[in-house]
Amino acid sequence: MSAPADSVTIVSIIRLRAAVALIGRFPALAGIDLEVGEGEVVLLQGPNGAGKSTLLRLCAGLVRLESGEGEVLGHDLRTSRPAIRRSVGLLGHDTALYDDLTVRENLEFWAAASRADVASVTPAMDRIGVADRLHDVSVGLLSAGQRRRVALAAVVVRRPQVWLLDEPHAGLDPDGRDLVDELVGDAARAGATVLVASHEVDRTLDLATRRVVVAGGTIVKDVADVE
Amino acid sequence: MWNDVWLVAGKDLRIEWRSRVTFSQVLPFALLVLVLFGFALDANRPVLDAATSGLFWITVLFVALTAVQRSTSLETTDGARRALLLAGVEPAAVFLGKALAVAVQLLFVEVVLVGGVIILYNAAVESFPLLVATLLAATIGIAATGTLLGALVAGVRARETVLPILLLPVLAPVLIGATRAFDDALGTAAVDGWAWLGLLAGFGMINVVLGALAYGVLLEET
């Protein structure tokens, strides 16, 4: 039976209950409760070392859930981390690019590795604004900002259901920052869920449907409809 | 899974081809070691003849350390290891692909080094099939063990110095077996090289299986 056309179905994409995650022996997340729905753009704020990056990595299935409960896209964070990893796109502090491969080779490698359409690499490079003359240039020759754009293109190529962006504006020029905003907007409109950890508060607030403040490994404020 | 094996191996070999490190740095280093061993022992020709196989394989182990260090650093330098996990590539495929790429590099250097010992040490090949089989079996064992231990020390701060301390003792059976088999292939000692080849093959198989099973655990961050 289908739902009435005007009804609103809230699908929980990320669900954490009393989630604890350790970095070494340090409890980087000390009991997080968070529920994020489909199409939401959540801005994660907080001082350095608050646990924002660990929270993103936990949602990506890269950090083990030490205690508590957690699900991403219906997959349990304890038992189904490989399935979660395949469904999310994470832009972290590292770019995960190989210096001796060209921009195109890097993106084609990551597209093939993640079972994405290799044919989408060229459109992604165009979308991200990687100039044609740079497509076949070794990544090792690129500036930090250009590398960041290529890393972002690798996320775009994957077409993830959940975007996890850690300081996505860092190192980018004004055009690049605008581009990140456009991509986040496009992803949300397409139904993807986006978590953005950013110090660019004003810029990201325009896009965010919700603002979550993290401090000391816990959520201290969760404000919906920030606009 | 095999598509991923070729994908990872192809990527590592393409990077190696671009950087030319094996060709322009590792190979000259290996030949230099052979030459220096020759200088050190040439005054005593019988000793050099008897030690040729051992010197060859010690040189190969030095080369293997370099190849494994580089293979490991490709994934640790800019977070590629984490991205491989996110991409959903089977850890066993990553292991086999990286081990295959290391093996190809080692075989390339070994072929040149065989030419080196023939020219520099006046070595003669008496059993070509045994020589080739020894090269293949020993290389598989070295590449598999090196790739596995490379992943084990990937998160260690001083991995460049820790890796040799771990890897060289573990590869001692390869050094012994390959040296004995080579002695037979070069006719420098009266031993049954094919029996030693069995040891090498067993060592290689065990480490390939162990690596394929354990690599996933080693790739995990926590």
Side-chain angles (χ1 to χ4, degrees):
Chain A
M1 184 192 290
S2 61
D6 58 349
S7 73
V8 177
T9 306
I10 298 173
V11 179
S12 182
I13 299 297
I14 296 171
R15 191 179 63 79
L16 301 174
R17 289 279 177 274
V20 173
L22 304 180
I23 298 297
R25 291 181 188 174
F26 176 72
L29 298 181
I32 293 270
D33 291 303
L34 180 67
E35 194 147 351
V36 183
E38 189 175 356
E40 276 199 89
V41 178
V42 178
L43 170 66
L44 296 175
Q45 287 182 288
N48 292 333
K52 303 186 295 296
S53 298
T54 306
L55 178 55
L56 292 179
R57 284 157 60 189
L58 176 71
C59 293
L62 288 173
V63 174
R64 185 177 295 141
L65 179 64
E66 204 62 32
S67 67
E69 296 172 18
E71 280 183 2
V72 176
L73 292 161
H75 300 293
D76 192 291
L77 265 172
R78 289 181 190 283
T79 57
S80 303
R81 288 161 75 191
I84 292 169
R85 289 167 181 164
R86 280 191 287 271
S87 307
V88 304
L90 173 68
L91 179 69
H93 293 253
D94 300 323
T95 58
L97 299 172
Y98 300 104
D99 280 0
D100 289 306
L101 296 184
T102 66
V103 170
R104 184 188 301 280
E105 288 168 342
N106 264 287
L107 292 175
E108 287 179 350
F109 171 77
W110 288 117
S114 56
R115 306 286 184 275
D117 183 8
V118 175
S120 65
V121 164
T122 301
M125 286 191 291
D126 294 339
R127 178 74 182 90
I128 297 300
V130 178
D132 286 355
R133 64 187 170 83
L134 296 178
H135 289 187
D136 297 309
V137 168
S138 291
V139 162
L141 299 175
L142 301 182
S143 70
Q146 287 168 327
R147 286 179 76 103
R148 197 84 179 141
R149 281 181 185 244
V150 177
L152 197 54
V155 176
V156 171
V157 166
R158 289 184 66 158
R159 296 175 174 272
Q161 292 169 269
V162 178
W163 292 52
L164 304 167
L165 307 176
D166 199 354
E167 302 292 350
H169 302 100
L172 293 177
D173 56 25
D175 285 348
R177 292 169 183 223
D178 290 343
L179 179 74
V180 169
D181 293 352
E182 286 173 26
L183 288 172
V184 169
D186 290 350
R189 278 188 289 277
T193 299
V194 186
L195 265 66
V196 184
S198 178
H199 291 298
E200 301 268 338
V201 178
D202 294 339
R203 174 177 292 275
T204 319
L205 271 179
D206 293 340
L207 301 164
T209 54
R210 198 165 144 197
R211 180 166 61 95
V212 171
V213 181
V214 183
T218 59
I219 291 177
V220 295
K221 190 185 281 185
D222 189 342
V223 185
D225 298 324
V226 288
E227 64 268 26
Chain B
M1 184 179 93
W2 290 105
N3 282 345
D4 287 339
V5 173
W6 306 131
L7 184 71
V8 172
K11 180 261 295 175
D12 277 15
L13 288 172
R14 182 175 284 184
I15 289 172
E16 192 49 49
W17 177 250
R18 289 276 163 71
S19 66
R20 298 282 202 281
V21 169
T22 299
F23 190 76
S24 64
Q25 295 172 33
V26 177
L27 190 58
F29 164 75
L31 287 170
L32 197 59
V33 171
L34 271 193
V35 170
L36 291 175
F37 277 142
F39 285 162
L41 298 174
D42 196 32
N44 193 338
R45 193 72 210 178
V47 171
L48 181 61
D49 290 343
T52 294
S53 302
L55 297 179
F56 175 90
W57 284 106
I58 285 174
T59 307
V60 169
L61 292 191
F62 288 157
V63 171
L65 282 175
T66 312
V68 170
Q69 299 269 27
R70 280 186 49 74
S71 173
T72 304
S73 72
L74 286 181
E75 313 306 341
T76 55
T77 303
D78 196 20
R81 194 166 69 138
R82 191 178 301 155
L84 283 169
L85 281 175
L86 280 173
V89 182
E90 286 283 332
V94 179
F95 166 76
L96 291 172
K98 295 196 73 65
L100 179 62
V102 169
V104 169
Q105 293 168 57
L106 285 179
L107 277 172
F108 169 70
V109 175
E110 287 166 11
V111 167
V112 177
L113 287 180
V114 166
V117 295
I118 289 171
I119 294 168
L120 297 171
Y121 297 177
N122 283 328
V125 179
E126 291 195 353
S127 173
F128 194 71
L130 179 58
L131 183 130
V132 172
T134 303
L135 286 177
L136 288 174
T139 301
I140 290 170
I142 294 169
T145 312
T147 303
L148 182 61
L149 292 183
L152 181 69
V153 303
V156 177
R157 203 170 294 165
R159 61 176 174 270
E160 291 82 3
T161 45
V162 172
L163 182 65
I165 293 170
L166 283 180
L167 185 57
L168 291 178
V170 175
L171 288 179
V174 175
L175 177 68
I176 296 166
T179 299
R180 296 293 177 273
F182 246 49
D183 280 340
D184 191 11
L186 297 178
T188 53
V191 292
D192 182 2
W194 291 102
W196 286 103
L197 182 64
L199 170 83
L200 289 175
F203 183 93
M205 275 200 295
I206 288 170
N207 279 285
V208 167
V209 173
L210 189 66
L213 293 175
Y215 206 72
V217 178
L218 299 178
L219 271 184
E220 293 289 342
E221 197 166 354
T222 54

